Amino acid sequence: MNNNRVIFVFLFLCITCISFAQNAHVKGVILDNQKHPVGDVNITSLGNTTQSDSNGFFEIDVPSNKKTSLIFTHVSLKMMSLTVSLKPNEIFVFNPVMSNSEEQMGEVFVSSKNKKRVQGIANIDVATIKKIPGANAGIENILKTLPGVNSNNELSTQYAVRGGNYDENLVYVNEIEVYRPFLIRSGQQEGLSFTNTDLVQNVDFSAGGFQAKFGDKLSSVLDITYRKPTQFGASLEASLLGGSVSVDAVSKNKKWSAVTGVRYRNNSLLVNSQDTQTNYTPTFADIQTNINYDISQKWQISFLGNISENKYLYQPLTRETKFGTIDQPMALSVYYEGKERDKYDTYFGALKTTYKVSPTFTLKLIGSLFHTTEQEHFDILAQYRLGNVGEEDTSQVDFTRGIGSQLSHARNDLDALIANAEVKGFKEWLNDSQLEFGLKYTRESIRDRVVEWEAIDSAGFSINPPLVILPQNNQPYQPYTGPLLPYQDVRATNYNTINRFSGYAQYNKKSEIGSSQIWYNLGARFQSWSVSGAAVEGKNQIVFSPRAQFAIKPDWDMDMVFRLSGGLYYQPPFYRELRDLEGVVNPNVKAQESVHIVLSNDYNFKMWNRPFKWVTELYYKSLSDVNVYSIDNVRIRYVANNNAIAYAQGLDFRLNGEFVPGTESWISFGYLKTEENYEGKGYIARPTDQRLKFAMLFQDYMPNIPSVKLYLNLVYNTGLPGGAPAYSDPYLYQNRLNDYRRVDVGFAKVFVDSSTKVAKANWLKNFKELSVGLEIFNLFNNQNAITNTWVRDVYSKNQYAIPNYMTSRVFNVKLNARL
């Protein structure tokens, strides 16, 4: 790390020692029976008092995360009361009508969940995220238990939603879009997700049919908000996989606040449980901060920053994989030479300012900069032996079917700089309607060099590349006189700039039809972009994306909401989608287009006198101008043309509630079918065609010892199309991997939490939370394969698919503490 980086990290840490505190806010306009504004109304809450102005407008702060009563009184009108339960920094708009004839003494319970409910947004409890075990614990670990969200790789934080791929998901932190590295090809290279769970206040997720204010992707939106602390605090997590520390800081004058986290992760425990024995030395570390400053009651500024340094040194030694059938058990033995050295350094900074022009009009200005430098360098020689396993001694190979070697080489380097500037506006009116709009400019500068090749021989004879016409190779029976070429060879150098202009506008309205409540949202987006470079010049392209949502809550005894949402969604190509199989950029790749319709039902009910929710969603996507791709582990390679059409259809169910009193658990089930038609050849399954999905997230505790907790994370996915040779034509041969089955379980002894009473003399009084736990990953030691290695028997000309298994059963010890 050079001197500039050291100074930057030092300043990063120094700034975070101060911060500004906020609770939650209730505001609105008070009206009388004739819908006239009422001034001089006294609003009181826990000793905090304010008055409405001559226009009837009021605003008051209330404590967050608990029920709080507000009392409205006026000299000529009857008293009114309201009870709210809001999250930190949440703004709730309430426009009461005060009566001069009768008091409104009944409790009115208000929660932001109602708004998200009609928008089809799933809110995920942050405390649950931190408790649930997983090989890659965090927000993405929980997402994989939701219906419609699929992943067959526990080492990766990437996920596919309703037939889309990993590149089709939007991720926002504090309304700022965040990015992930470009060159990652396997889960064990990934390191840390951008989102730091220790800093998170709120997590919202939409699996489709989302509003126009969100960006131009086809599949999903993950919207994360970092917290603004109200007092000093600190947390610590340590395990055999790494650790994290976070600090909350608040200045004395309550003008500044900051939350800062440092993380370190080492995947050796998991990687060493695989078939391949390695010298594996990863260093995944980052520092992240969210700083807030309140200039005045109308003007606020915040800064979000992240520095991440991921180093990956991988030296495989040997591999022993058994496969085949009971009648014909086989084994592959591999001996390796060489190593892989990868490095991914990312720097991200964003400045956001919020200004309240008036009580009903807010403007936001956001600027962000993302810089990543990545290298993927390896030279690995694999010498293999394929044979039959002995009948008496299954640990030995008694007959060798084939021997050979494979030499893989790569010198891939990438440098990307992405700058964004955005303005947003929010206007609200007295009739429960709002207007939101925004404009954004993005500039992406990419410098990319791809040099990778692979040479394969079998029994000393070179294997020709599959897609190159050469003289027939009939070794060892006949000598081969043609040229010796690598089995795969990709070489390209790209220097490209992408300029994008985008914008949106949407209108929200709450109303009534008879005695039923309705909500609707109408909006549209546009994006204009062009690609240029040293050797390419693309044409300017523009897309227009209308979207709509409608929800109705009938006046029934049953608490039900019906929703219909959809629109015309576009995904203009990001850099990876512009690069074809040979590494060459096609600047005129068009945006993929999807007509998306979602019909859903949301039912709240009581079972065992405890709250439950049943959500059903039926969806259909019709896609055109599809950019066909293949997936190898987590690496996506595009054809970089738009010569396909596709569709995705499915049904999702989710039941969540208090299966155990005081804890939230859920069960998810999903059915999906997605197919594509490339160049009119007919429909075949897409790489993300995950037909069936079942997942369970369960929390429990011992009745007699409630401080002993159990957390269960179960996922079952049917097999994905995949595992075929990379060069194969899927119209001639398409394979499916075996089903993915995994159960992670965690046990924790909680010494202190929010419900624990600790004596003043006890040393535990310094902790708000303290627990020690044991986690078992892959409890039943299921063998899940992510890809296949194809080995050729030179004599029989047969090729064998040897599964590349993921992690086996692993034990982990974990400590959590919060001051």
Side-chain angles (χ1 to χ4, degrees), residues 603-704:
Y603 176 36
N604 288 338
F605 62 97
K606 290 289 185 71
M607 185 166 60
W608 307 313
N609 203 30
R610 297 194 291 272
F612 281 83
K613 178 191 289 285
W614 175 264
V615 179
T616 305
E617 293 195 327
L618 177 69
Y619 60 90
Y620 181 81
K621 304 179 188 178
S622 176
L623 298 102
S624 57
D625 291 330
V626 173
N627 191 351
V628 173
Y629 60 88
S630 62
I631 300 179
D632 183 5
N633 202 307
V634 298
R635 188 190 194 190
I636 300 177
R637 300 179 67 190
Y638 291 90
V639 176
N641 61 35
N642 301 97
N643 294 349
I645 57 175
Y647 72 88
Q649 61 188 26
L651 184 63
D652 288 339
F653 300 97
R654 182 179 177 223
L655 174 66
N656 69 294
E658 295 187 15
F659 290 90
V660 175
T663 66
E664 183 184 21
S665 304
W666 61 73
I667 298 171
S668 301
F669 174 79
Y671 164 77
L672 164 70
K673 183 178 181 181
T674 180
E675 293 183 321
E676 64 189 16
N677 182 348
Y678 182 64
E679 294 184 337
K681 297 179 181 179
Y683 281 95
I684 59 171
R686 304 191 78 196
T688 53
D689 183 34
Q690 191 102 64
R691 288 296 170 91
L692 296 177
K693 186 256 179 68
F694 176 81
M696 176 187 293
L697 185 149
F698 187 74
Q699 302 184 69
D700 199 358
Y701 55 84
M702 295 180 65
N704 296 327

Side-chain angles (χ1 to χ4, degrees), residues 117-118 511-520 549-556 559-564 600-602:
R117 184 184 184 193
V118 300
S511 186
E512 294 180 353
I513 297 180
S515 58
S516 300
Q517 294 180 315
I518 65 168
W519 296 262
Y520 60 86
Q549 294 181 330
F550 176 80
I552 182 169
K553 187 179 188 300
D555 186 17
W556 296 347
D559 183 6
M560 277 194 177
V561 172
F562 296 90
R563 294 189 304 269
L564 176 65
S600 59
N601 171 254
D602 188 311

Side-chain angles (χ1 to χ4, degrees), residues 42-50 60 68-73 82:
N42 293 311
I43 303 101
T44 304
S45 174
L46 298 178
N48 188 13
T49 302
T50 188
I60 188 170
T68 305
S69 295
L70 289 87
I71 307 298
F72 298 79
T73 58
L82 170 74

